Amino acid sequence: MAPGFSKILIVGAGPAGQLLGLLLAKENIDVTILDQADKLDENPRATHYAPPAMRVLNFAGVGDKMREKGFAPGNVAWRKLDGTFIAGMDNESQKDSLERMIALPLDQLGRVLYDHSKKFLSIKYLFNHKVTSIGHNEKTAWVNVEITGSGKETRFEADYIVGCDGANSIIRRSLFGDWEFPGRTWDEQIVATNVYYPFEKFHYSDSNFIIDPVHWHMAAKITKDGMWRVTYGDLPGLTRDELIARQPEKFKTILPGHPDPSGYKLVNISPYKVHQRLAKSLRVGRFLLAADAAHLCNPFGGLGLTGGIVDVGGLYQCLKGIYTKVADESILDIYSDIRRKRYLEMVDTISSANLRRMFTVPPDEVLEKDNFLKLCKQSETDKELAQKMAEGAHALSYDFTQHYKTA
Ligand SMILES: Cc1cc2nc3c(=O)[nH]c(=O)nc-3n(C[C@H](O)[C@H](O)[C@H](O)COP(=O)(O)OP(=O)(O)OC[C@H]3O[C@@H](n4cnc5c(N)ncnc54)[C@H](O)[C@@H]3O)c2cc1C
């Protein structure tokens, strides 16, 4: 085999690229992961992995480690700014399920995936490798790579190249053009923070969506030791520094108990804009896209990375089918069609509704006007409905082995 050649080349050692690499390596399919950074990303970012993502993560063999390190959220509530409960859902029906949602900051998931992948010889990570351009023909695909700090450039070839290189994907931009990522950017400005603060003292649930036309926000417990993610909306058009400067006043207004900075420990703060976008196709010849490189959504409901992980589980089934000769390449078009459809029907629709629900209808009227909250209210006493709602998330999954020739 030529140097720099692997069956599958993955661009991006984020959670999606790492997980795909691990799944393929377990099948002894030779895979190389390139990342422009010098190490795994240490920003906490995504935190919640819903049941369809846990199904894939369990299959990859990292579920036990995640349950050991992470935390299984119980109930979720929608509240008014003064903390008054509007409606809620509990996870009671899922409490013994291995597919139950787990919260674990993304940097810790990255470390779990990396450590687990060391057990397999057919996976190779190369950091400081920045992809600058791409090419492909009928037989092979390649990327041109700059090796950071060395001034050297080189080329890597593969049967298939998967862009798991995040929102600003060079693979997607090279395939479709820099500005071709159909969808929209929200006007709303989001600020994500990680903070230690005793929300339990104020009878908060594990995850809380606060409905308010101005001070809408989410507060969710994300670690066993009591760190919370508070993500709030702020004024559009401010600079990063201006948004950060407003945080103490914002917390005083929105957190229960109205604390001064001495009353909590702020660990991270990152203002960011949110988008709902989907690539035109998740396959062009020998190039494939998954997770943030393929689609983006706002973080309310944790559907972004959950959707990305489910993509990866499906793409693994398709590539495995090709290498074990039970599927031909047309399965990759099915991958693209189904994952795009699931994004449009579920991820985009539900995550957009989750965000709008927090500020469009006055909190006193929301229960009467919002069908989803009405269902939540009903599920508080109807256990069968509660179970159905909890299991509904699996509609995001799709079993691509049904397209194997032997199926
Ligand atoms: C502040 C914040 C909070 C978030 N909270 C949530 C949440 O609560 N729930 C949720 O589901 N999602 C959340 N997200 C989104 C979530 O983090 C992403 O969906 C997830 O990280 C996507 O994973 P990925 O592997 O597709 O891409 P990424 O994690 O972005 O990884 C992409 C990798 O590709 C590498 N790369 C990029 N370009 C190149 C190149 N040219 N050559 C080589 N390597 C390259 C990068 O270095 C990076 O390591 C949040 C995001 C942010 C920023």
Side-chain angles (χ1 to χ4, degrees), residues 30-277:
D30 133 68
V31 55
T32 300
I33 306 182
L34 305 179
D35 201 290
Q36 64 185 3
D38 58 356
K39 57 180 179 342
L40 296 176
D41 191 343
E42 288 171 356
N43 289 311
R45 303 197 290 158
T47 51
H48 287 71
Y49 311 93
M54 286 310 300
R55 182 175 288 177
V56 182
L57 291 157
N58 284 332
F59 182 78
V62 294
D64 286 342
K65 218 22 171 207
M66 288 179 72
R67 280 181 285 277
E68 178 195 316
K69 288 182 169 282
F71 146 78
N75 43 10
V76 47
W78 284 263
R79 299 177 184 277
K80 295 184 189 173
L81 188 57
D82 66 3
T84 309
F85 180 84
I86 299 173
M89 262 195 315
D90 77 32
N91 240 344
E92 194 55 25
S93 66
Q94 304 296 300
K95 77 174 188 319
D96 299 321
S97 167
L98 290 180
E99 291 177 355
R100 180 182 182 165
M101 177 187 275
I102 293 293
L104 181 72
L106 194 56
D107 53 324
Q108 294 187 43
L109 173 66
R111 183 46 62 186
V112 168
L113 290 167
Y114 187 75
D115 290 347
H116 198 65
S117 71
K118 282 195 201 135
K119 296 183 183 155
F120 302 95
L121 293 176
S122 55
I123 185 168
K124 186 159 66 181
Y125 277 82
L126 295 173
F127 289 99
N128 290 314
H129 281 59
K130 179 180 180 176
V131 172
T132 53
S133 58
I134 70 169
H136 57 142
N137 59 30
E138 273 176 22
K139 291 203 176 119
T140 184
W142 59 90
V143 290
N144 295 315
V145 171
E146 215 176 83
I147 303 174
T148 321
S150 73
K152 284 190 195 144
E153 289 192 3
T154 184
R155 174 174 285 203
F156 285 80
E157 260 184 68
D159 290 341
Y160 300 99
I161 298 182
V162 186
C164 290
D165 47 343
N168 198 28
S169 167
I170 180 76
I171 304 295
R172 187 194 63 245
R173 288 188 287 121
S174 306
L175 294 172
F176 301 111
D178 278 348
W179 306 109
E180 268 306 310
F181 198 8
R184 63 190 193 284
T185 297
W186 292 86
D187 293 334
E188 282 68 27
Q189 173 66 54
I190 307 281
V191 181
T193 64
N194 285 347
V195 61
Y196 286 93
Y197 185 62
F199 287 89
E200 291 92 344
K201 242 176 63 183
F202 301 92
H203 311 293
Y204 266 43
S205 310
D206 288 336
S207 301
N208 306 268
F209 292 93
I210 310 301
I211 300 183
D212 188 85
V214 180
H215 296 299
W216 52 274
H217 65 281
M218 182 208 71
K221 184 173 169 183
I222 57 171
T223 63
K224 269 187 197 157
D225 73 344
M227 185 157 76
W228 286 65
R229 165 72 48 86
V230 177
T231 304
Y232 56 86
D234 208 338
L235 301 175
L238 299 182
T239 63
R240 185 186 157 80
D241 287 348
E242 284 167 340
L243 287 161
I244 291 174
R246 285 168 56 82
Q247 172 274 322
E249 199 46 45
K250 194 80 185 170
F251 268 23
K252 200 171 170 67
T253 311
I254 67 176
L255 296 198
H258 309 290
D260 289 320
S262 59
Y264 52 81
K265 183 177 160 205
L266 184 70
V267 182
N268 300 87
I269 174 161
S270 37
Y272 66 108
K273 291 295 280 182
V274 283
H275 317 266
Q276 306 289 134
R277 294 186 183 274

Side-chain angles (χ1 to χ4, degrees), residues 294-306:
H295 45 70
L296 298 175
C297 71
N298 76 75
F300 297 96
L303 282 164
L305 188 52
T306 288

